[in-house]
Amino acid sequence: AAEMSAALMWLAALQLAGAVVFGLAALLDRGLRRRSAATRRGVWALAIAIALVLAPARLALPAPEVLAPAPWLAGPLLAIWAVGALLLLARAVHGHARARGRVARSERLANESWQASLDALREPGARPRVEVRVSPEIDAPQTIGIVRPVILVPPAMLAAPATARRASLAHELAHVVRGDCLLRLAGAVARAIYWISPLPWWALRRLRAHAEEAADDAALGAGVPSSSYAALRVAVARDRLERVGRVAADGLRERVRGILDAR
């Protein structure tokens, strides 16, 4: 019973430390609201990295002895946390497996226009080499993979004009260069560890949002006109609405406003 109480106090101290890290990141993100999306993404990336390092580092410290719960309560509380953490980890593993399965079921492009456009965007000799494949299971281009990243495109976009092709690839390539797939996975692990607090859930949502906005900035930096890129995002949202019957209208509005904002 004493060991259970000590473990619960160790967990409570870890959760409190994680809440402080994510809370400070939220304040810093708000203070940097006029800075670039890449900078704000970096804030959440740093917070997630610190939160992940805190878990093993906290093991080296003794459990606090204040506010110790009743011995009979420690076991059930630890079990609730463990079940929640395992379910979220299983969710992350399942999502990764589904994504890899999508890549396995995808097909090589019959023409090389998309791959050629991607190679033109990449610096000579850049690693890792990114492959472009086609998948009927998606409604918008997406990047999958950490060690061997793959950009999947839907069949409906194969005949897209060169501007739309360049914009989509510049966006996805930005995810590859910044390691967003690995970062999202790290965020999911951090959420599983600190799931009791709403802050890690918020952190993962803000990380994803800023990563998308930063990739939008990269597409604009590749020379894609903002009006054309905004029209592309609206078209993708329309296709998604027709395919699955829902789309985040508020998120789309903010994203298009950011694309068109010259500041």
Side-chain angles (χ1 to χ4, degrees), residues 4 9 19 22 62 67 71 82 108 114 120 142 162 164 166 173 195 202 224 227 243 250 253 257 263:
M4 284 286 188
M9 287 300 93
F22 290 125
L67 300 177
R108 297 183 66 88
W114 281 80
Q142 61 180 239
R166 182 179 179 83
L173 184 59
W195 69 266
W202 170 256
V224 178
S227 57
R243 181 185 175 96
D250 291 341
R253 186 181 300 111
R257 183 180 294 125
R263 294 171 298 176

Side-chain angles (χ1 to χ4, degrees), residues 95-140:
H96 179 74
R98 286 184 59 189
R100 296 310 305 177
R102 202 174 300 133
V103 171
R105 293 186 296 272
S106 65
E107 301 176 355
R108 297 183 66 88
L109 286 172
N111 62 73
E112 296 297 323
S113 58
W114 281 80
Q115 187 67 53
S117 297
L118 177 65
D119 292 340
L121 287 169
R122 290 173 61 80
E123 296 180 2
R127 294 288 185 272
R129 187 176 188 275
V130 185
E131 183 182 7
V132 183
R133 300 178 66 89
V134 60
S135 171
E137 302 177 32
I138 60 175
D139 49 27

